[in-house]
Short mmCIF file of all heavy atoms in Angstrom, two decimals:
data_model
loop_
_atom_site.label_atom_id
_atom_site.label_comp_id
_atom_site.label_asym_id
_atom_site.label_seq_id
_atom_site.Cartn_x
_atom_site.Cartn_y
_atom_site.Cartn_z
N SER A 1 77.43 -37.64 2.51
CA SER A 1 78.62 -37.99 3.24
C SER A 1 79.76 -36.97 2.95
O SER A 1 80.67 -36.81 3.76
CB SER A 1 79.09 -39.39 2.93
OG SER A 1 79.42 -39.52 1.55
N ARG A 2 79.73 -36.24 1.79
CA ARG A 2 80.72 -35.32 1.46
C ARG A 2 80.31 -33.87 1.75
O ARG A 2 81.07 -32.92 1.59
CB ARG A 2 80.97 -35.37 -0.11
CG ARG A 2 81.47 -36.80 -0.48
CD ARG A 2 81.92 -36.78 -1.95
NE ARG A 2 80.95 -36.21 -2.82
CZ ARG A 2 80.16 -36.91 -3.59
NH1 ARG A 2 80.07 -38.24 -3.47
NH2 ARG A 2 79.25 -36.34 -4.37
N SER A 3 79.12 -33.71 2.25
CA SER A 3 78.57 -32.33 2.49
C SER A 3 79.02 -31.94 3.91
O SER A 3 78.99 -32.66 4.90
CB SER A 3 77.06 -32.33 2.41
OG SER A 3 76.52 -31.13 2.77
N PRO A 4 79.36 -30.54 4.03
CA PRO A 4 79.60 -30.07 5.40
C PRO A 4 78.38 -29.99 6.23
O PRO A 4 78.50 -29.98 7.51
CB PRO A 4 80.20 -28.70 5.18
CG PRO A 4 79.64 -28.29 3.76
CD PRO A 4 79.61 -29.55 3.06
N LEU A 5 77.17 -29.99 5.70
CA LEU A 5 75.94 -30.02 6.43
C LEU A 5 75.45 -31.45 6.51
O LEU A 5 75.29 -32.11 5.51
CB LEU A 5 74.94 -29.12 5.74
CG LEU A 5 73.57 -29.07 6.39
CD1 LEU A 5 73.62 -28.38 7.69
CD2 LEU A 5 72.52 -28.27 5.47
N THR A 6 75.30 -31.93 7.70
CA THR A 6 74.79 -33.30 7.90
C THR A 6 73.41 -33.49 7.47
O THR A 6 72.61 -32.51 7.46
CB THR A 6 75.04 -33.74 9.34
OG1 THR A 6 74.15 -32.91 10.23
CG2 THR A 6 76.42 -33.67 9.77
N VAL A 7 73.01 -34.66 7.07
CA VAL A 7 71.66 -34.90 6.67
C VAL A 7 70.67 -34.69 7.78
O VAL A 7 69.52 -34.29 7.62
CB VAL A 7 71.52 -36.27 6.03
CG1 VAL A 7 71.83 -37.42 7.04
CG2 VAL A 7 70.15 -36.51 5.44
N ASP A 8 71.02 -35.03 9.03
CA ASP A 8 70.16 -34.79 10.18
C ASP A 8 69.90 -33.41 10.48
O ASP A 8 68.75 -32.97 10.68
CB ASP A 8 70.80 -35.49 11.41
CG ASP A 8 70.97 -36.98 11.37
OD1 ASP A 8 70.14 -37.58 10.57
OD2 ASP A 8 71.78 -37.57 12.06
N ASN A 9 70.96 -32.55 10.35
CA ASN A 9 70.74 -31.06 10.51
C ASN A 9 69.87 -30.51 9.40
O ASN A 9 69.01 -29.64 9.67
CB ASN A 9 72.15 -30.41 10.60
CG ASN A 9 72.04 -29.01 11.05
OD1 ASN A 9 70.98 -28.47 11.35
ND2 ASN A 9 73.19 -28.36 11.15
N ALA A 10 70.11 -30.94 8.17
CA ALA A 10 69.34 -30.41 7.11
C ALA A 10 67.85 -30.89 7.25
O ALA A 10 66.94 -30.08 6.93
CB ALA A 10 69.86 -31.00 5.73
N LEU A 11 67.59 -32.04 7.71
CA LEU A 11 66.25 -32.52 7.93
C LEU A 11 65.46 -31.71 8.99
O LEU A 11 64.28 -31.35 8.85
CB LEU A 11 66.19 -33.98 8.24
CG LEU A 11 66.34 -34.98 7.06
CD1 LEU A 11 66.27 -36.41 7.59
CD2 LEU A 11 65.19 -34.79 6.07
N GLN A 12 66.29 -31.37 10.00
CA GLN A 12 65.65 -30.66 11.14
C GLN A 12 65.27 -29.22 10.64
O GLN A 12 64.19 -28.73 10.98
CB GLN A 12 66.64 -30.52 12.36
CG GLN A 12 66.89 -31.80 13.10
CD GLN A 12 68.04 -31.71 14.07
OE1 GLN A 12 68.56 -30.61 14.37
NE2 GLN A 12 68.27 -32.85 14.73
N GLN A 13 66.08 -28.64 9.87
CA GLN A 13 65.79 -27.27 9.37
C GLN A 13 64.65 -27.39 8.30
O GLN A 13 63.76 -26.56 8.28
CB GLN A 13 67.01 -26.69 8.65
CG GLN A 13 68.17 -26.44 9.59
CD GLN A 13 69.41 -25.73 8.96
OE1 GLN A 13 69.26 -24.78 8.23
NE2 GLN A 13 70.59 -26.28 9.13
N MET A 14 64.62 -28.45 7.56
CA MET A 14 63.45 -28.58 6.58
C MET A 14 62.18 -28.80 7.29
O MET A 14 61.12 -28.24 6.86
CB MET A 14 63.77 -29.70 5.65
CG MET A 14 62.76 -29.96 4.60
SD MET A 14 62.33 -28.54 3.55
CE MET A 14 63.87 -28.52 2.61
N ILE A 15 62.18 -29.56 8.40
CA ILE A 15 60.95 -29.81 9.15
C ILE A 15 60.46 -28.44 9.78
O ILE A 15 59.22 -28.23 9.76
CB ILE A 15 61.13 -30.83 10.14
CG1 ILE A 15 61.20 -32.19 9.49
CG2 ILE A 15 60.03 -30.91 11.17
CD1 ILE A 15 61.45 -33.37 10.35
N ILE A 16 61.33 -27.64 10.22
CA ILE A 16 60.91 -26.31 10.72
C ILE A 16 60.29 -25.42 9.66
O ILE A 16 59.27 -24.82 9.82
CB ILE A 16 62.13 -25.57 11.34
CG1 ILE A 16 62.62 -26.38 12.53
CG2 ILE A 16 61.68 -24.17 11.69
CD1 ILE A 16 63.89 -25.75 13.11
N PHE A 17 60.86 -25.54 8.44
CA PHE A 17 60.20 -24.79 7.32
C PHE A 17 58.92 -25.41 6.95
O PHE A 17 57.94 -24.59 6.68
CB PHE A 17 61.18 -24.88 6.09
CG PHE A 17 60.60 -24.40 4.88
CD1 PHE A 17 60.59 -23.08 4.55
CD2 PHE A 17 60.08 -25.30 3.91
CE1 PHE A 17 60.02 -22.58 3.34
CE2 PHE A 17 59.57 -24.77 2.78
CZ PHE A 17 59.51 -23.46 2.39
N ILE A 18 58.70 -26.68 6.95
CA ILE A 18 57.48 -27.26 6.63
C ILE A 18 56.40 -26.92 7.68
O ILE A 18 55.23 -26.54 7.29
CB ILE A 18 57.59 -28.80 6.59
CG1 ILE A 18 58.43 -29.22 5.30
CG2 ILE A 18 56.25 -29.45 6.50
CD1 ILE A 18 58.71 -30.69 5.23
N ASN A 19 56.76 -26.89 8.93
CA ASN A 19 55.84 -26.44 9.94
C ASN A 19 55.42 -25.04 9.83
O ASN A 19 54.27 -24.65 10.00
CB ASN A 19 56.42 -26.72 11.33
CG ASN A 19 56.52 -28.18 11.66
OD1 ASN A 19 55.95 -29.09 11.09
ND2 ASN A 19 57.50 -28.54 12.60
N ALA A 20 56.31 -24.13 9.46
CA ALA A 20 56.01 -22.76 9.17
C ALA A 20 55.08 -22.67 8.01
O ALA A 20 54.09 -21.77 8.06
CB ALA A 20 57.31 -21.97 8.98
N TYR A 21 55.29 -23.42 6.95
CA TYR A 21 54.34 -23.40 5.88
C TYR A 21 53.01 -23.85 6.20
O TYR A 21 51.95 -23.20 5.79
CB TYR A 21 54.89 -24.25 4.72
CG TYR A 21 53.87 -24.63 3.69
CD1 TYR A 21 53.51 -23.81 2.69
CD2 TYR A 21 53.31 -25.96 3.69
CE1 TYR A 21 52.54 -24.18 1.74
CE2 TYR A 21 52.41 -26.35 2.76
CZ TYR A 21 52.04 -25.45 1.80
OH TYR A 21 51.05 -25.85 0.92
N LEU A 22 52.86 -24.90 6.95
CA LEU A 22 51.53 -25.36 7.46
C LEU A 22 50.79 -24.35 8.30
O LEU A 22 49.60 -24.29 8.44
CB LEU A 22 51.65 -26.74 8.05
CG LEU A 22 52.10 -27.92 7.22
CD1 LEU A 22 52.32 -29.12 8.05
CD2 LEU A 22 51.05 -28.18 6.09
N ALA A 23 51.60 -23.63 9.08
CA ALA A 23 51.04 -22.58 9.98
C ALA A 23 50.51 -21.38 9.30
O ALA A 23 49.74 -20.54 9.85
CB ALA A 23 51.94 -22.20 11.00
N LEU A 24 50.89 -21.16 8.04
CA LEU A 24 50.42 -19.95 7.33
C LEU A 24 48.90 -19.94 7.15
O LEU A 24 48.25 -18.97 7.34
CB LEU A 24 51.16 -19.84 5.98
CG LEU A 24 52.61 -19.45 6.03
CD1 LEU A 24 53.26 -19.36 4.64
CD2 LEU A 24 52.83 -18.06 6.72
N LYS A 25 48.42 -21.05 6.57
CA LYS A 25 46.97 -21.24 6.32
C LYS A 25 46.56 -22.61 6.71
O LYS A 25 47.20 -23.65 6.40
CB LYS A 25 46.73 -20.96 4.89
CG LYS A 25 46.72 -19.56 4.40
CD LYS A 25 46.25 -19.42 2.93
CE LYS A 25 46.27 -18.02 2.44
NZ LYS A 25 47.64 -17.58 2.20
N PRO A 26 45.41 -22.76 7.34
CA PRO A 26 44.99 -24.14 7.64
C PRO A 26 44.58 -24.99 6.41
O PRO A 26 44.47 -26.18 6.47
CB PRO A 26 43.75 -23.87 8.61
CG PRO A 26 43.31 -22.52 8.28
CD PRO A 26 44.54 -21.75 7.92
N GLU A 27 44.30 -24.25 5.32
CA GLU A 27 43.90 -24.93 4.08
C GLU A 27 45.15 -25.39 3.26
O GLU A 27 44.91 -26.13 2.24
CB GLU A 27 43.05 -24.08 3.22
CG GLU A 27 41.77 -23.61 3.88
CD GLU A 27 41.87 -22.30 4.72
OE1 GLU A 27 43.07 -21.81 4.77
OE2 GLU A 27 40.97 -21.96 5.42
N ASN A 28 46.33 -25.05 3.63
CA ASN A 28 47.48 -25.48 2.86
C ASN A 28 47.70 -26.94 3.00
O ASN A 28 47.45 -27.55 3.95
CB ASN A 28 48.75 -24.81 3.44
CG ASN A 28 48.86 -23.29 3.01
OD1 ASN A 28 48.06 -22.80 2.20
ND2 ASN A 28 49.79 -22.61 3.61
N LYS A 29 48.13 -27.50 1.80
CA LYS A 29 48.29 -28.98 1.71
C LYS A 29 49.79 -29.25 1.45
O LYS A 29 50.53 -28.44 0.94
CB LYS A 29 47.45 -29.59 0.60
CG LYS A 29 45.97 -29.35 0.81
CD LYS A 29 45.10 -30.01 -0.31
CE LYS A 29 43.68 -29.80 -0.14
NZ LYS A 29 43.13 -30.43 1.10
N LEU A 30 50.24 -30.47 1.84
CA LEU A 30 51.60 -30.82 1.79
C LEU A 30 51.82 -32.26 1.29
O LEU A 30 51.02 -33.07 1.70
CB LEU A 30 52.23 -30.65 3.26
CG LEU A 30 53.71 -31.14 3.46
CD1 LEU A 30 54.65 -30.20 2.70
CD2 LEU A 30 54.01 -31.19 4.89
N VAL A 31 52.82 -32.45 0.55
CA VAL A 31 53.24 -33.79 0.10
C VAL A 31 54.84 -33.75 0.19
O VAL A 31 55.47 -32.87 -0.19
CB VAL A 31 52.90 -34.03 -1.32
CG1 VAL A 31 53.42 -35.45 -1.76
CG2 VAL A 31 51.34 -34.14 -1.50
N VAL A 32 55.40 -34.79 0.78
CA VAL A 32 56.74 -34.96 1.02
C VAL A 32 57.23 -36.31 0.27
O VAL A 32 56.68 -37.33 0.61
CB VAL A 32 57.18 -34.99 2.50
CG1 VAL A 32 58.71 -35.15 2.61
CG2 VAL A 32 56.72 -33.72 3.19
N LEU A 33 58.20 -36.10 -0.56
CA LEU A 33 58.81 -37.26 -1.29
C LEU A 33 60.33 -37.33 -0.99
O LEU A 33 60.94 -36.22 -0.75
CB LEU A 33 58.59 -37.08 -2.88
CG LEU A 33 57.22 -36.91 -3.33
CD1 LEU A 33 57.20 -36.72 -4.85
CD2 LEU A 33 56.37 -38.13 -3.01
N ALA A 34 60.82 -38.55 -1.05
CA ALA A 34 62.26 -38.71 -0.75
C ALA A 34 62.74 -39.58 -1.90
O ALA A 34 62.08 -40.59 -2.33
CB ALA A 34 62.53 -39.34 0.57
N THR A 35 63.94 -39.21 -2.40
CA THR A 35 64.50 -39.99 -3.48
C THR A 35 66.02 -40.20 -3.33
O THR A 35 66.62 -39.32 -2.66
CB THR A 35 64.22 -39.30 -4.88
OG1 THR A 35 64.81 -40.00 -5.89
CG2 THR A 35 64.92 -37.84 -4.86
N ASN A 36 66.57 -41.22 -3.89
CA ASN A 36 67.99 -41.44 -3.95
C ASN A 36 68.33 -42.11 -5.25
O ASN A 36 67.62 -41.97 -6.26
CB ASN A 36 68.43 -42.26 -2.74
CG ASN A 36 67.65 -43.56 -2.66
OD1 ASN A 36 67.10 -44.07 -3.64
ND2 ASN A 36 67.73 -44.21 -1.42
N LYS A 37 69.45 -42.84 -5.31
CA LYS A 37 69.85 -43.48 -6.57
C LYS A 37 68.91 -44.62 -6.92
O LYS A 37 68.78 -44.88 -8.15
CB LYS A 37 71.28 -43.92 -6.40
CG LYS A 37 71.77 -44.73 -7.64
CD LYS A 37 73.14 -45.39 -7.37
CE LYS A 37 73.61 -46.17 -8.67
NZ LYS A 37 74.81 -46.86 -8.37
N ARG A 38 68.28 -45.25 -5.99
CA ARG A 38 67.67 -46.54 -6.30
C ARG A 38 66.06 -46.39 -6.26
O ARG A 38 65.40 -47.17 -6.92
CB ARG A 38 68.10 -47.56 -5.35
CG ARG A 38 69.45 -47.96 -5.45
CD ARG A 38 69.92 -48.95 -4.40
NE ARG A 38 71.31 -49.37 -4.59
CZ ARG A 38 72.42 -48.66 -4.11
NH1 ARG A 38 72.22 -47.59 -3.51
NH2 ARG A 38 73.59 -49.15 -4.46
N GLU A 39 65.46 -45.51 -5.49
CA GLU A 39 64.03 -45.48 -5.38
C GLU A 39 63.53 -44.17 -5.02
O GLU A 39 64.33 -43.22 -4.68
CB GLU A 39 63.66 -46.43 -4.30
CG GLU A 39 64.31 -46.15 -2.94
CD GLU A 39 63.87 -47.18 -1.79
OE1 GLU A 39 62.95 -47.93 -2.04
OE2 GLU A 39 64.52 -47.16 -0.70
N CYS A 40 62.20 -43.93 -5.11
CA CYS A 40 61.59 -42.73 -4.77
C CYS A 40 60.29 -43.10 -4.02
O CYS A 40 59.44 -43.90 -4.54
CB CYS A 40 61.21 -41.90 -6.07
SG CYS A 40 60.28 -40.38 -5.65
N LYS A 41 60.14 -42.56 -2.77
CA LYS A 41 58.96 -42.89 -1.93
C LYS A 41 58.25 -41.70 -1.46
O LYS A 41 58.82 -40.59 -1.38
CB LYS A 41 59.49 -43.67 -0.65
CG LYS A 41 59.96 -45.05 -1.00
CD LYS A 41 60.34 -45.73 0.37
CE LYS A 41 60.81 -47.20 0.13
NZ LYS A 41 61.15 -47.81 1.42
N CYS A 42 56.99 -41.84 -1.24
CA CYS A 42 56.13 -40.74 -0.66
C CYS A 42 56.12 -40.98 0.83
O CYS A 42 55.61 -42.01 1.35
CB CYS A 42 54.77 -40.87 -1.21
SG CYS A 42 53.56 -39.56 -0.59
N LEU A 43 56.66 -40.01 1.55
CA LEU A 43 56.76 -40.07 3.05
C LEU A 43 55.48 -39.46 3.68
O LEU A 43 55.12 -39.92 4.78
CB LEU A 43 57.96 -39.34 3.49
CG LEU A 43 59.30 -39.77 2.89
CD1 LEU A 43 60.46 -39.00 3.56
CD2 LEU A 43 59.57 -41.22 2.97
N TYR A 44 54.87 -38.49 3.03
CA TYR A 44 53.74 -37.82 3.65
C TYR A 44 52.87 -37.32 2.50
O TYR A 44 53.44 -36.80 1.55
CB TYR A 44 54.08 -36.69 4.56
CG TYR A 44 52.93 -36.02 5.28
CD1 TYR A 44 52.45 -36.47 6.49
CD2 TYR A 44 52.33 -34.85 4.63
CE1 TYR A 44 51.34 -35.85 7.02
CE2 TYR A 44 51.26 -34.21 5.25
CZ TYR A 44 50.76 -34.75 6.43
OH TYR A 44 49.70 -34.15 7.09
N PRO A 45 51.53 -37.52 2.58
CA PRO A 45 50.73 -38.07 3.68
C PRO A 45 50.79 -39.63 3.64
O PRO A 45 51.13 -40.33 2.62
CB PRO A 45 49.33 -37.58 3.33
CG PRO A 45 49.29 -37.40 1.81
CD PRO A 45 50.70 -36.97 1.45
#
C-alpha cells in the first residue's frame, strides 16, 4: 500500500518473467510461493 508500484502491476510483470523462463527450456521446472505476515502458501504447482 506504500509502494509506488501496485501489486497488480508487479504481478503482471512477474508472470511475464515466469513465462519467459518456462519458454527457455521445456524441461525447466517452476514453484511459486506467496508469503505475508501471517502465512506462506504454495501457489504453483
Side-chain angles (χ1 to χ4, degrees):
S1 63
R2 304 191 304 266
S3 173
L5 179 67
T6 62
V7 62
D8 295 335
N9 193 0
L11 281 177
Q12 293 175 3
Q13 298 183 48
M14 179 59 68
I15 286 179
I16 296 175
F17 170 81
I18 290 174
N19 292 340
Y21 161 77
L22 294 175
L24 289 178
K25 286 189 182 72
E27 299 86 3
N28 284 352
K29 299 182 181 300
L30 174 70
V31 176
V32 181
L33 304 176
T35 180
N36 54 20
K37 177 189 174 182
R38 296 175 175 83
E39 58 182 345
C40 176
K41 290 184 178 180
C42 179
L43 305 183
Y44 182 87

